[in-house]
Amino acid sequence: MSLLSPYRAVLRTPYACGAFVASLAGRLCYGIVGLSLLLTLTAGGRGYGLAGLVMALFGLAIVLVSPFRAWMIDRHGPRRVLPLMAAGFAAVLVAIAVIPPRSDVNDGAIAVLAAAAGACAPPLGVVMRTLWSALIKDRDLLQTAYSLDGVVEELLYVTGPVIVGVIIVVAAPAVGLLVSAGLMVAGTGLFLRSPAVRRWPAWVAEQASSTADAAPGEAGASRAIVAVAFATGAIGLCLGGLGLVIVAFSQARRDPAAVAWIEATLSAGSALGGLGYGAVAWRISAQHRLALLTAGLVVLLIPAALSPDLLVLALLTGLAGALVSPALATAYTLADGLASPQARIRAGNWVNSGYNAGTSAGAVLSGQLIARIPLSACLPVLAVPALLTVVPLLQARPKPTAE
């Protein structure tokens, strides 16, 4: 069997390919919107302080409101909730795009609108990953689907800034916000037209019935899902810190352009690691795989800031990246198996929110640490709490619905 055979099986699953491609069209928006928003604000003369505040509000709203969005989708289904979210998100982006690009004009309104956009942001990635679990019954093949999903999403975040670069060459940065709005509306609309999404209520009822007797204890499952979320938060914490360490390291070596290709090794490593991981039928439990992958990633990053030169830093970054997609794919597989069918959106959301919150915290903490302690000590300081998250993950004793 070739390396690509499991991926062919995933994409040949009835209705899966169409829903996946449609969700990617909408998710591409997230690779474009952040940089477009930042450039739109600074192009008009607004300061970086305001731009940073607006971006922070946008990201914070996404994280804080995500449990409510997930609950709404679990309760009412994606076909009733996602159109409202997509329409609200697109409308807010259009409103920001048409505000005059001059400093001190409607700055407060922009901050409020950015928070509103984050609150409305449709969780297409979380919904698609839940949909994979409905379409694919084989747990090994489901792991492959999650790996594929993670790798392609990684590529979207690499492609997004390139698209923004093209946009600002031929038009104003605000056009990137309009493109983001269009992608979200079109992608969500196509996704909801998929036969797989139209069957959402039916398969939730089927899975609820089939797992009624084997469902995990609610308390045990909830604690285990939180432990999984802490593990993905640890991964995000280290990666968020790594980003600023790479910038500081490159500037200290008087080669700031090196940031781009070192970051590229992280993405390339994540893509290659995810593709290889998804093609293997693992015999070790998902719980222990996630613990090993999280610990391995953290340990690899500890000596990164001690690198004697940029090439060694790039090598360690690439090796760590090779564990990112596998760890996240395992986390989604584990959370999906622990949750009841009626709560799988919320379970996936815990994993996603944990990673996003960890990334934001890592960026903030590393910024403070770099100014106060030697650069070589920054990642080890972040690694200590990250390694500690493995303990509750190993101590969790759930009875998963499937492994």
Side-chain angles (χ1 to χ4, degrees), residues 80-378:
R80 294 180 62 183
V81 178
L82 285 180
L84 298 176
M85 292 181 181
F89 182 78
V92 172
L93 292 186
V94 172
I96 296 174
V98 300
I99 289 177
R102 299 191 303 275
S103 60
D104 300 325
V105 176
N106 296 318
D107 288 352
I110 289 176
V112 172
L113 287 171
C120 293
L124 290 178
V126 174
V127 176
M128 183 63 224
R129 282 183 282 267
T130 303
L131 192 59
W132 283 122
S133 72
L135 297 172
I136 299 175
K137 308 305 179 186
D138 185 315
R139 301 300 293 182
D140 290 334
L141 204 58
L142 180 60
Q143 172 191 280
T144 302
Y146 284 148
S147 295
L148 175 65
D149 194 286
V151 167
V152 178
E153 188 170 71
E154 182 88 31
L155 295 176
L156 292 182
Y157 281 95
V158 174
T159 304
V162 176
I163 295 174
V164 175
V166 174
I167 289 173
I168 62 175
V169 168
V170 300
V175 173
L177 297 177
L178 300 178
V179 171
S180 299
L183 282 170
M184 181 55 72
V185 171
T188 302
L190 291 172
F191 181 65
L192 295 176
R193 288 176 62 87
S194 164
V197 179
R198 289 202 298 268
R199 287 197 67 247
W200 187 282
W203 68 253
V204 168
E206 291 169 5
Q207 292 194 341
S209 174
S210 64
T211 60
D213 296 330
E218 196 66 36
S222 297
R223 285 194 295 269
I225 290 170
V226 171
V228 173
F230 272 113
T232 58
I235 296 169
L237 182 74
C238 289
L239 294 182
L242 177 65
L244 277 184
V245 168
I246 290 173
V247 171
F249 194 95
S250 300
Q251 290 177 344
R253 300 306 191 275
R254 292 182 171 81
D255 188 5
V259 173
W261 61 265
I262 295 176
E263 289 280 5
T265 64
L266 180 68
S267 296
S270 181
L272 293 174
L275 288 173
Y277 180 81
V280 176
W282 298 93
R283 293 294 169 252
I284 184 172
S285 71
Q287 184 178 353
H288 291 105
R289 286 202 309 273
L290 180 57
L292 289 172
L293 288 165
T294 303
L297 187 148
V298 172
V299 168
L300 275 172
L301 289 179
I302 289 176
L306 297 170
S307 303
D309 54 47
L310 292 168
L311 287 177
V312 175
L313 177 61
L315 175 62
L316 289 172
T317 300
L319 289 175
L323 302 181
V324 174
S325 283
L328 294 178
T330 305
Y332 283 114
T333 302
L334 184 54
D336 179 82
L338 290 166
S340 66
Q342 300 92 336
R344 280 178 171 161
I345 293 289
R346 278 167 281 176
N349 179 73
W350 273 103
V351 174
N352 193 62
S353 295
Y355 178 75
N356 290 336
T359 302
S360 299
V364 171
L365 290 174
S366 63
Q368 297 299 313
L369 291 172
I370 288 171
R372 290 171 170 79
I373 64 176
L375 182 61
S376 58
C378 291

Side-chain angles (χ1 to χ4, degrees), residues 237-238 298 302 379-389:
L237 182 74
C238 289
V298 172
I302 289 176
L379 288 177
V381 169
L382 292 176
V384 172
L387 279 175
L388 290 177
T389 64

Side-chain angles (χ1 to χ4, degrees), residues 46-95:
R46 293 182 172 92
Y48 287 101
L50 175 67
L53 173 63
V54 169
M55 296 304 297
L57 288 172
F58 177 70
L60 187 63
I62 289 178
V63 173
L64 292 181
V65 185
S66 62
F68 176 72
R69 292 196 303 264
W71 175 81
M72 288 288 291
I73 296 172
D74 270 330
R75 182 175 178 84
H76 301 291
R79 298 191 72 200
R80 294 180 62 183
V81 178
L82 285 180
L84 298 176
M85 292 181 181
F89 182 78
V92 172
L93 292 186
V94 172

